[in-house]
Amino acid sequence: MENTSVLQAERVETLVGTYGNMLFRFCLITLGNTGDAEDAVQETFIRFVRKQPSFRDHEHEKAWLLKVAGNQCRDILRRRSRHPSADIDEVVVPAAEEPHKSAVLDALMTLPEKYRTVLLLYYVEEYDTRKIAKLIGRTPSAVKMRLKKGRELLTEAYRKETE
Amino acid sequence: MDTKEMARAVRAIGMPDGMEERVLRACYREIEEKNMKHNISGFRRPAVVFAAFIMCFLCLGVTGMAASEKLQGYFRDIKDFRGAVTGETYEQADDEITVTSAAEGNGLKVHIVFEKPDAFPYSLLEELAASSYTVRDSAGKEVLSGVKTELFPVENGGADIIVAADLPEGKYTLVITELEGYKKAEQPLAIRGEWTCVFEK
């Protein structure tokens, strides 16, 4: 049997199992729908297969995947702005299942994407501002400002959701 | 508002059912294609194809999912972050549609053929547009990235779509990754896959 293919498959299976959920929620919070989030996650792992990068440690591995996923999300957002389609709120489709209700998630999703991303990386993935800056290609001070503004907007949005 | 509550709510989000399998399937195909390209010896190529076949069979544990079988399209719900269904797409339609193209005037005529025009969802479509596509030159450089085309009628099991492509002479590769199918009074259906064809201007 071709050992290279099997080893590569085992490696990607481990990564998908370890980071799949984390990348999916990152992409979902950034992009707002499961279809685009799945596309972004899939393309991230395909890039991994193509490049077969070496990692110093698990932190490096996770950061690489998040960076690639972030780039995929940016590409999707750019494509969306070039090809505007029907507002998903206008699509009337009966819900197949009871949607997950969370006032804080509702509030988070009202924020512009740049604030959602830094709030998620800071509070959920527990990165510091320096590491977030490297991931998203901004300065640490820009990240701090986005965190501050993001918290303010989230607090206000949550207050409105729970009124 | 407690940011810990936000973190808890976000951490509760996980991949939907079936997604892990779909992602792995796409990765296995990529591994197979990548390793086939690196095999320069014709003697080893059948061994690699056979190995990829066995790998897919073992890793997926599904008798139907072999590398040599045709891809089958499927519907996928689009859900928002709450999990409420907001739409659907038709995925993995690669082997259900054939695409060829030829330069025509200042444009490109793309001939779309549904392999099974009487099967769902193709039987319902009345009009078709190309909504995501790129054109690369012979050096691999992207020279055109698609704005959604006009709608063209679906007739005789397919459609002829005109893509505006004012290009200099040369050889090009068209890659379409999304078509949009329309039926009166219904929401458009995004049909996704990857269709590649070469044309000359």
Side-chain angles (χ1 to χ4, degrees):
Chain A
M1 180 176 290
E2 181 63 49
N3 280 335
T4 309
S5 296
V6 173
L7 285 172
Q8 286 172 0
E10 285 174 356
R11 202 178 168 207
V12 81
E13 280 160 21
T14 303
L15 280 187
V16 173
T18 307
Y19 299 110
N21 283 328
M22 183 273 293
L23 288 177
F24 177 73
R25 57 179 173 250
F26 171 77
C27 295
L28 180 64
I29 296 297
T30 303
L31 296 169
N33 74 73
T34 57
D36 286 344
E38 181 170 332
D39 286 348
V41 170
Q42 184 170 292
E43 191 57 35
T44 299
F45 285 114
I46 285 176
R47 296 279 163 130
F48 169 80
V49 166
R50 281 184 196 153
K51 291 188 183 295
Q52 289 296 312
S54 306
F55 300 121
R56 289 188 301 272
D57 50 35
H58 288 307
E59 275 307 309
H60 183 206
E61 184 177 73
K62 182 179 170 184
W64 189 92
L65 289 168
L66 272 171
K67 192 157 177 80
V68 173
N71 290 339
Q72 292 306 314
C73 290
R74 258 192 297 282
D75 286 348
I76 290 171
L77 289 168
R78 223 176 281 135
R79 273 202 301 273
R80 257 194 222 166
S81 68
R82 281 208 304 254
H83 309 300
S85 52
D87 188 335
I88 57 169
D89 288 337
E90 294 173 4
V91 175
V92 177
V93 177
E97 57 192 62
E98 188 62 32
H100 170 76
K101 292 190 191 300
S102 165
V104 72
L105 273 186
D106 286 347
L108 178 65
M109 295 310 291
T110 65
L111 271 55
E113 173 264 325
K114 62 182 179 181
Y115 300 118
R116 298 200 300 264
T117 301
V118 294
L119 287 172
L120 184 149
L121 289 171
Y122 191 80
Y123 288 109
V124 181
E125 302 308 328
E126 296 177 332
Y127 280 110
D128 62 33
T129 53
R130 193 180 48 85
K131 285 190 180 139
I132 294 173
K134 275 183 90 173
L135 278 173
I136 67 171
R138 292 280 184 266
T139 62
S141 57
V143 169
K144 283 177 190 166
M145 281 176 59
R146 285 190 187 184
L147 272 173
K148 180 172 179 288
K149 182 75 179 171
R151 276 192 296 264
E152 287 167 10
L153 291 173
L154 184 61
T155 303
E156 180 58 25
Y158 183 73
R159 188 186 62 76
K160 284 182 182 157
E161 285 289 330
T162 51
E163 260 171 6
Chain B
M1 191 225 54
D2 186 358
T3 50
K4 284 184 185 158
E5 188 191 340
M6 179 199 73
R8 262 196 307 272
V10 173
R11 285 195 191 108
I13 297 170
M15 289 189 284
D17 289 342
M19 179 178 157
E20 187 166 341
E21 185 183 299
R22 286 192 292 273
V23 168
L24 284 173
R25 202 182 301 145
C27 290
Y28 297 147
R29 277 203 303 274
E30 186 66 29
I31 290 169
E32 182 199 337
E33 282 173 20
K34 189 176 159 221
N35 289 335
M36 289 233 344
K37 276 181 198 156
H38 281 119
N39 264 344
I40 51 174
S41 161
F43 173 74
R44 289 180 63 200
R45 192 167 292 225
V48 172
V49 171
F50 180 70
F53 175 90
I54 294 294
M55 182 183 71
C56 287
F57 175 85
L58 290 174
C59 291
L60 289 168
V62 175
T63 52
M65 281 305 305
S68 56
E69 279 196 10
K70 281 191 169 185
L71 291 175
Q72 215 168 354
Y74 62 91
F75 282 94
R76 183 175 72 172
D77 285 337
I78 304 298
K79 295 179 187 173
D80 66 14
F81 66 94
R82 299 181 198 88
V85 176
T86 54
E88 63 180 359
T89 57
Y90 190 67
E91 303 283 335
Q92 204 170 265
D94 309 52
D95 292 338
E96 296 180 0
I97 296 175
T98 307
V99 173
T100 53
S101 59
E104 194 170 276
N106 282 341
L108 179 63
K109 187 173 180 179
V110 184
H111 186 56
I112 310 275
V113 173
F114 303 138
E115 294 296 317
K116 292 181 181 173
D118 298 326
F120 187 70
Y122 307 105
S123 56
L124 299 180
L125 301 180
E126 293 171 354
E127 290 177 306
L128 199 67
S131 48
S132 178
Y133 54 90
T134 54
V135 175
R136 294 184 182 274
D137 63 18
S138 53
K141 186 181 157 210
E142 187 179 295
V143 295
L144 182 71
S145 179
V147 176
K148 194 167 88 177
T149 67
E150 290 174 21
L151 303 182
F152 293 86
V154 172
E155 293 165 330
N156 304 318
D160 285 328
I161 292 176
I162 305 295
V163 172
D166 193 6
L167 299 166
E169 276 184 20
K171 209 170 178 181
Y172 298 91
T173 302
L174 167 70
V175 180
I176 299 177
T177 53
E178 189 177 284
L179 299 163
E180 247 180 38
Y182 289 77
K183 180 177 159 60
K184 271 201 195 77
E186 298 273 342
Q187 291 295 332
L189 177 69
I191 301 169
R192 293 180 178 173
E194 190 167 300
W195 302 279
T196 304
C197 47
V198 176
F199 65 94
E200 264 191 74
K201 198 85 194 285

